Amino acid sequence: MSSQVRFDPYAELRHALVEHLRQRGIRDERVLAAMERLPRELFVHPAFIHRAYEDVALPLGYNQTISQPYTVAFMTSLLELEPGQKVLEIGTGSGYQAALLALMGGRVYTVERQWELYQRARQLFARLGLAIQTRFGDGSLGWQEHAPYEAIIVTAAAPHIPKPLREQLALGGRLVIPVGGPQAQVLVRLRRLSEHEYDYEEFGEFRFVPLIGKEGWSETPDIRPTSSSS
Ligand code: SAH
C-alpha cells in the first residue's frame, strides 16, 4: 500500500457513525472495524451522498433502498461470520452489505433480481477490487450451485422462510431473514443443527422492501396496506 497520505473527507463521518452504532449496542468489533473501512458514500444514490453517514435507509431508485447502517450492523453480527466462510446474500441492492461481508473475510455470493442495481453493484465491486460472485435472478431459491453456505442473509422481507434457503445451509450455518407481512417483519435467525433440525430465534421488528420471487411475494404492482388507517 502507498505511504502517501490521502485526504478522505468522509473518514470523520464514518468514524462518528461507527461510534453511534457502538452506542446503540453493536458489540461485534469485526463488524464495526469493517464499517469503519467501507466508503458508504460510493454505494448510496448520488442524490443522497450528503446523507451517506446518517443512520437511515436511503432510496436507491427502482423502489429499493440501501438498508439503515444499524440494521446492516445488527444483521451482520447475527451471522457470526468467520473469515474464509462462504456467505450468500439475497438482495444485492447497492452492494454495501455484500462489500461489508467481503471486507470481513467472507467468500461472498450475492443475488439480485433488479437488472440496473445488479449491473451497478457489479461495477462497484470491480472498481473496489472486491472478489464477490454476483448473480442476476430470483434469490428466493438461493444459489444451489455453490451451496452449502455457513451464512445466508436475506435483505428483503419474506412471507415465510424459503425452504431452499434453509436447505442450502451448512451444518452449523446461520440464516438471517426478516419474515412477516408487508408492513413489518421480525428478524429471524435459523441455525442448522443437523440434517433436519434447526434452532429458531427472533430479534425484534424491522422493515424491509419485499422479497419478490417463487418463495417470496408475487410480482403485483404494489402491496397495499391491510388497514386503511394510514
Ligand atoms: N442489501 C442491500 C439492500 C437491499 S434492498 C444493500 O446493501 O444495499 C433489497 C434488494 O432485494 C432490492 O435490491 C431488491 O431488488 C432485491 N430483491 C427482492 N427480491 C429479490 C429476489 N427474489 N432475489 C434477489 N433480489 C431480490
Side-chain angles (χ1 to χ4, degrees):
M1 230 199 231
S2 135
S3 59
Q4 245 181 349
V5 178
R6 271 229 232 126
F7 177 65
D8 178 356
Y10 292 99
E12 236 173 84
L13 288 172
R14 202 173 295 129
H15 182 68
L17 174 63
V18 166
E19 284 313 306
H20 161 84
L21 294 174
R22 212 187 288 278
Q23 306 241 309
R24 277 201 67 182
I26 303 296
R27 293 280 172 269
D28 190 326
E29 289 300 328
R30 289 185 311 120
V31 173
L32 294 169
M35 284 183 96
E36 181 122 23
R37 287 171 59 207
L38 188 57
R40 193 167 188 260
E41 73 275 9
L42 300 182
F43 294 86
V44 300
H45 189 282
F48 291 96
I49 205 162
H50 60 292
R51 303 188 61 190
Y53 290 97
E54 289 179 28
D55 191 15
V56 293
L58 293 170
L60 286 175
Y62 316 100
N63 264 332
Q64 305 303 329
T65 55
I66 179 171
S67 305
Q68 181 180 350
Y70 175 77
T71 306
V72 173
F74 187 69
M75 290 178 87
T76 309
S77 308
L78 290 181
L79 282 180
E80 296 175 357
L81 187 70
E82 298 290 336
Q85 290 189 337
K86 241 197 237 181
V87 53
L88 172 66
E89 178 199 27
I90 310 305
T92 314
S94 68
Y96 181 81
Q97 173 74 70
L100 186 69
L101 295 167
L103 282 190
M104 290 174 64
R107 286 146 61 205
V108 185
Y109 297 80
T110 182
V111 185
E112 172 58 53
R113 70 178 289 278
Q114 212 285 332
W115 179 252
E116 285 78 10
L117 293 176
Y118 165 77
Q119 288 291 359
R120 214 197 270 163
R122 273 171 66 92
Q123 282 165 15
L124 195 46
F125 297 152
R127 179 176 155 200
L128 295 173
L130 295 172
I132 293 173
Q133 307 301 313
T134 56
R135 180 181 177 197
F136 175 66
D138 177 8
S140 72
L141 302 171
W143 191 347
Q144 177 60 46
E145 216 178 320
H146 299 287
Y149 304 93
E150 273 92 18
I152 302 179
I153 178 169
V154 182
T155 61
H160 59 262
I161 298 173
K163 192 162 175 243
L165 293 186
R166 62 181 161 81
E167 289 179 345
Q168 288 172 29
L169 276 180
L171 288 189
R174 293 78 56 196
L175 164 64
V176 173
I177 178 169
V179 181
Q183 297 305 309
Q185 305 89 36
V186 329
L187 202 53
V188 170
R189 176 168 64 186
L190 217 57
R191 191 188 299 269
R192 189 167 201 174
L193 304 176
S194 67
E195 181 68 22
H196 297 293
E197 277 176 302
Y198 296 84
D199 179 52
Y200 174 98
E201 295 165 277
E202 285 183 358
F203 295 89
E205 245 188 48
F206 287 81
R207 193 178 173 153
F208 288 83
V209 298
L211 179 76
I212 295 174
K214 281 218 175 73
E215 292 282 339
W217 298 93
S218 63
E219 198 171 0
T220 43
D222 65 356
I223 297 164
R224 292 177 195 287
T226 45
S227 98
S228 55
S229 60
S230 55

